[in-house]
Amino acid sequence: MITHKFQIILGVLIILAFLFIVNMVRKRALELKYALSWFIMLIGLGVLVCIPKTMNVLAKAMGIYSPVNMIFFVGFILAIIIIFVLTVTLSRLSARVRKMAQIVAMMNTYQGEDLREEQHGSVSAVQDGRAVLETSGVPEQQAGVEGFAKEAKQARGASASAKAAGKKRNQKR
Amino acid sequence: MKKIAIIPAYNEKDSIVKTVNDVIQNAPSFDYVIINDCSKDDTMDICLYNGFHVLNLPINLGIGGAVQTGYLYAYRHGYDIAVQFDGDGQHDAKYLEQMAEVLVRENADMVIGSRFIEKEGFQSSKLRRAGISYFTWLIRLLTGVVITDPTSGMRLCNRRTIEMFANEYPRDYPEPESTVRLIRHKRKVIEMPVKMKAREEGVSSISSLKNTVYYMIKVTIAILIERIR
């Protein structure tokens, strides 16, 4: 049989976890879709803790000596299920990101070539890629690389400041 | 005043042409943009073949993400009014001009086309009506505002609301949740009677028992959480 003390501890823990998750969803840090499985798990555990009799019956049915052990067992199984679903979601997500990156890559033309095209301004040089390389020489290529690095830096700076702005906004809420 | 109809389309090859022509003919002051949500059939090809204006999402975002893309487009291109107009042939474009007029006249932030004010046209199945009136009840309980058709996809927004939706829009089953959000922000949401048609082609995303249960629970919790945000 479960002691009242432990019953209370478990109950408080469940309530705290529940409030924490609701708050996360409220702040949009956690999507409701993924929070639902946690809610179901907490409600299941809550029922077991509040009505220890169901626990005794279930424990007996499953051949477990101590009802508390059964709480841990059930909680463990549920957690494993959630983790598994999470890995499945993660796999799908990474496939989607990959696909998106590939499509974005196909939409962008190679910018390095475009730069050279502008500098030379001649169609023939662009048509024959090798000619461009030969005439442009090393310094220009380096400039190109530096240009890229600069652009990348700017892009990163922009995203960083966007992030900072996002954080600020969150804090305001 | 620039106006645009956002037409989300997922596997709507049989109805998309009809829908777009409906908008072009019956709502001449509206531009339109189709958001192809990575359809598995040849919706995209049909749109390109007909020369429609279409945005093609590279991955499937679901109805919320697709419509939000439309709001983002509307916001970026400086539209004053945007309306969601479903690609499955349920909506009737002849109401759009009227809805825009009502929005301007009443100075509202959103006008919802409701099937249940005059109770005309396609009324959905009994079970669905029960579900919808449950949401009406829930929203009235939490906000005190009566929305007779909270699940209606036919919603016309002003620029303020476009901006809000472009920033933040629920991912799936967005209508009731975002309506509550607007009301909570003290925006003026009004309804206007419209007639809708029965879905001509394709199936609703909420048809199996599992989806229905998930839908009811998810939207209920979403509305409750929206209330305490």
Side-chain angles (χ1 to χ4, degrees):
Chain A
M1 199 46 202
I2 189 171
T3 60
H4 284 304
K5 198 173 174 186
F6 191 57
Q7 216 176 339
I8 290 168
I9 291 175
L10 273 181
V12 169
L13 276 180
I14 288 173
I15 289 170
L16 281 181
F18 189 77
L19 290 179
F20 177 71
I21 293 176
V22 166
N23 196 38
M24 289 281 277
V25 176
R26 204 177 63 85
K27 288 193 309 191
R28 296 183 209 285
L30 179 63
E31 228 175 86
L32 182 59
K33 196 177 174 185
Y34 300 112
L36 278 181
S37 50
W38 292 107
F39 285 147
I40 291 170
M41 175 175 168
L42 286 177
I43 289 170
L45 286 180
V47 168
L48 287 184
V49 170
C50 291
I51 317 168
K53 252 192 196 151
T54 55
M55 209 157 53
N56 289 340
V57 173
L58 270 178
K60 217 171 236 174
M62 291 169 80
I64 300 170
Y65 286 124
S66 154
V68 177
N69 268 351
M70 210 210 43
I71 285 204
F72 289 131
F73 177 71
V74 171
F76 177 72
I77 292 288
L78 285 177
I80 288 281
I81 291 173
I82 290 178
I83 291 172
F84 180 73
V85 171
L86 218 59
T87 38
V88 171
T89 311
L90 186 70
S91 308
R92 213 190 54 217
L93 213 61
S94 70
R96 280 160 67 102
V97 169
R98 193 173 59 227
K99 192 176 165 199
M100 202 153 71
Q102 287 162 347
I103 287 171
V104 169
M106 271 181 269
M107 282 163 66
N108 284 350
T109 47
Y110 176 47
Q111 294 193 346
E113 203 120 40
D114 290 350
L115 286 178
R116 265 183 235 130
E117 193 179 331
E118 274 170 30
Q119 278 160 7
H120 285 268
S122 72
V123 182
S124 65
V126 178
Q127 272 175 346
D128 187 0
R130 216 183 285 162
V132 176
L133 277 182
E134 276 165 13
T135 48
S136 60
V138 180
E140 202 172 304
Q141 268 183 351
Q142 266 180 355
V145 170
E146 271 171 21
F148 261 127
K150 213 176 171 185
E151 251 176 42
K153 231 183 199 171
Q154 277 171 349
R156 252 180 312 201
S159 75
S161 63
K163 253 188 204 165
K167 259 187 192 166
K168 248 186 204 163
R169 214 184 50 205
N170 279 341
Q171 278 169 356
K172 255 191 191 164
R173 263 210 205 101
Chain B
M1 194 167 261
K2 279 174 81 181
K3 299 176 226 168
I4 190 169
I6 298 163
I7 306 175
Y10 178 66
N11 296 350
E12 309 283 6
K13 68 179 163 76
D14 298 312
S15 55
I16 189 73
V17 174
K18 233 180 174 176
T19 308
V20 174
N21 283 333
D22 188 22
V23 172
I24 292 173
Q25 280 160 18
N26 295 325
S29 73
F30 278 78
D31 296 339
Y32 72 91
V33 58
I34 304 166
I35 317 288
N36 176 37
D37 191 10
C38 216
S39 293
K40 290 199 181 73
D41 64 6
D42 29 8
T43 304
M44 186 64 193
D45 294 327
I46 291 171
C47 290
L48 289 178
Y49 178 77
N50 285 285
F52 291 157
H53 182 48
V54 55
L55 296 184
N56 191 34
L57 291 173
I59 54 175
N60 183 272
L61 291 185
I63 178 71
V67 172
Q68 190 182 28
T69 310
Y71 283 122
L72 190 65
Y73 179 89
Y75 182 67
R76 285 263 184 106
H77 289 78
Y79 282 97
D80 304 297
I81 286 178
V83 63
Q84 181 187 335
F85 193 82
D86 286 352
D88 55 16
Q90 287 194 72
H91 295 168
D92 199 334
K94 72 177 184 221
Y95 293 108
L96 293 186
E97 305 281 359
Q98 224 178 317
M99 283 172 82
E101 240 172 68
V102 170
L103 182 108
V104 173
R105 193 177 63 224
E106 302 276 330
N107 197 19
D109 291 292
M110 183 161 83
V111 177
I112 302 176
S114 169
R115 286 163 281 181
F116 305 125
I117 293 179
E118 292 186 346
K119 298 201 164 57
E120 278 181 59
F122 177 61
Q123 290 286 300
S124 209
S125 69
K126 225 178 199 162
L127 205 63
R128 262 165 212 251
R129 278 211 305 278
I132 292 169
S133 59
Y134 159 71
F135 285 127
T136 300
W137 171 81
L138 189 66
I139 291 175
R140 198 184 61 194
L141 187 76
L142 292 175
T143 65
V145 178
V146 176
I147 306 287
T148 59
D149 197 354
T151 60
S152 166
M154 200 176 185
R155 312 191 307 164
L156 189 118
C157 307
N158 68 358
R159 181 147 182 87
R160 232 164 38 121
T161 308
I162 292 172
E163 184 184 3
M164 186 178 184
F165 284 170
N167 281 327
E168 186 65 53
Y169 200 66
R171 227 185 72 176
D172 43 5
Y173 316 129
E175 287 88 9
E177 190 182 340
S178 53
T179 306
V180 173
R181 182 142 181 265
L182 281 176
I183 296 172
R184 192 178 59 88
H185 278 86
K186 306 258 184 295
R187 304 277 172 99
K188 190 173 175 189
V189 180
I190 54 178
E191 286 191 295
M192 201 194 99
V194 297
K195 268 185 238 172
M196 286 194 195
K197 291 170 276 190
R199 169 187 286 273
E200 283 161 359
E201 315 285 347
V203 285
S204 162
S205 59
I206 312 159
S207 44
S208 72
L209 180 70
K210 191 184 130 214
N211 280 345
T212 311
V213 171
Y214 174 70
Y215 174 78
M216 296 302 285
I217 293 175
K218 206 224 131 171
V219 175
T220 302
I221 298 178
I223 291 175
L224 287 174
I225 287 181
E226 189 51 63
R227 190 64 191 78
I228 56 169
R229 237 177 208 140

